[in-house]
Every structure is written in C-alpha cells, then in structure tokens.
C-alpha cells in the first residue's frame, strides 16, 4: 500500500472515531431516559389552585371542576385521533372503574382541537363514563398551558394542582402518585 492509501486510512479512522463516540453517547442517553409513559413535567400552576375547567360536556351537561372538591381529580387533555391518547384510554377507564364506587377520585377529559361528534364516537367505541368538556375546553387548555396531547394534571382534594404528566398515563401510575402524595406529611 502506498503512503497516500495509508494517509487516507488514518484520516478515515480519525474521522470515524469521534462519530462512533458521539453515536454511542446518543444511544446511552436514549436508552436511559424516561419513557413517554413516565415523563413528568413542571408547570407554573403546580402548587396553586387548579385553573378552572368550566363548560359544557359532549352530552350537553354543565361542568365545573370546583364541584369536585374533596376528591382527587385527573384532568386529562386529549384528542380522539391522537395515538398516545388512544393508547392511554384503557388505563383511564381502569382508573375510573377502580375509583367510581368509592368516589374518591374522578376523571374529567378536556377536548383539545377536536369535534364533539368525533369525541362522542370515540367514547362510544372505547368506553369511559366520565364528563368530557368540549365547550370551554380551549379556555381550560390555555389556562393549563397545554401544548400537546395527551397531557394530564392531578388535582388534590383541596383543589391544588399537584402533578402533571406529558404523554400517556397509567392507572397504576396515577394511583402511585395519589398514594405518595396522600402519605406525605
């Protein structure tokens, strides 16, 4: 092999080495980060009274979050065509079924950029027997600072927003948060 060939090989090695190190670092970061189901987020509303969720549901009933003081409330922003929303929906159904008899925790879904008809069809197909706020939903989304769906907040019985999650939730995950916050001094 001539000296030109060796120089090219050496240069290629010195170029490939940093690229390989950067790729390995990227893989390590992606492999150790929280999954979409575990991404919790901060928000300026956490620790203060939850913003109002007031409006009409898709069934034409009035809804006011303040009427649910005294119990835990999951405020879930969703859209009927959002794949992560569809994936998390059975978890919300399970959570609602666990808590409906005791009445200690409830769910309210807030429609995000969707039609009432699509939402009605979604709930008819996928289940879920809780209020779904459509009219007034955009005010709530702005007040909560929602930028995408699914996005969920947990409101304590006192009315204080105590937890936020970006991405899908699980029934066990919400129950774990409630248990942890209930046990806190």
């Amino acid at each position: 092999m001539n000296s030109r060939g060796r120089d090219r090989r050496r240069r290629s090695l010195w170029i490939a080495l940093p690229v390989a190190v950067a790729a390995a670092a990227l893989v390590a970061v992606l492999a150790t980060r929280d999954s979409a189901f575990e991404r919790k987020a901060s928000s300026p509303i956490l620790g203060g009274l939850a913003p109002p969720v007031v409006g009409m549901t898709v069934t034409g009933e009035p809804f006011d979050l303040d009427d649910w003081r005294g119990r835990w409330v999951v405020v879930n922003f969703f859209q009927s065509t959002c794949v992560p929303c569809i994936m998390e929906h059975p978890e919300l159904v399970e959570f609602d079924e666990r808590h409906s008899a005791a009445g200690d925790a409830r769910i309210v879904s807030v429609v995000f950029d969707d039609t009432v008809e699509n939402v009605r069809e979604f709930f008819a197909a996928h289940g879920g027997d809780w209020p779904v706020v459509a009219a007034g939903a955009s005010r709530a989304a702005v007040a909560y600072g929602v930028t995408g769906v699914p996005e969920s907040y947990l409101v304590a019985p006192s009315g204080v927003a105590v937890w936020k999650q970006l991405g899908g939730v699980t029934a066990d995950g919400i129950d774990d948060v409630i248990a942890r916050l209930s046990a806190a001094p």
Side-chain angles (χ1 to χ4, degrees):
M1 181 180 286
N2 65 26
S3 67
R4 259 176 107 169
R6 270 186 251 127
D7 288 343
R8 279 190 191 148
R9 239 164 125 201
R10 218 177 270 146
R11 196 174 332 132
S12 296
L13 179 63
W14 285 109
I15 292 171
L17 185 62
V19 170
V21 169
L26 179 62
V27 167
V29 167
L30 293 176
T32 59
R33 76 178 190 153
D34 289 342
S35 74
F37 289 104
E38 298 170 344
R39 287 186 308 188
K40 293 152 199 71
S42 64
S43 170
I45 71 165
L46 294 179
L49 282 179
V53 177
V54 179
M56 297 299 284
T57 67
V58 296
T59 59
E61 301 294 320
F63 180 85
D64 187 341
L65 179 63
D66 282 344
D67 292 343
W68 283 6
R69 287 265 175 98
R71 63 188 64 130
W72 294 95
V73 181
V74 175
V75 179
N76 175 256
F77 293 87
F78 90 105
Q79 184 182 67
S80 65
T81 58
C82 152
V83 173
C85 300
I86 295 166
M87 290 173 55
E88 83 171 347
H89 193 78
E91 295 289 335
L92 293 170
V93 170
E94 181 179 335
F95 179 84
D96 185 58
E97 289 172 354
R98 286 182 191 176
H99 294 276
S100 62
D104 60 335
R106 300 289 312 265
I107 299 170
V108 59
S109 289
V110 183
V111 177
F112 187 85
D113 194 27
D114 206 339
T115 68
V116 170
E117 188 57 35
N118 286 348
V119 172
R120 283 186 189 138
E121 289 174 11
F122 178 87
F123 273 80
H126 296 91
D129 187 29
W130 57 82
V132 181
V133 176
S138 59
R139 283 189 306 267
V142 169
Y144 280 79
V146 175
T147 58
V149 289
E151 191 168 308
S152 297
Y153 287 82
L154 183 62
V155 178
S158 63
V160 172
V162 293
W163 182 78
K164 173 184 177 181
Q165 176 142 339
L166 301 172
V169 297
T170 65
D172 289 341
I174 299 169
D175 280 337
D176 289 347
V177 171
I178 290 173
R180 189 171 59 246
L181 293 172
S182 294

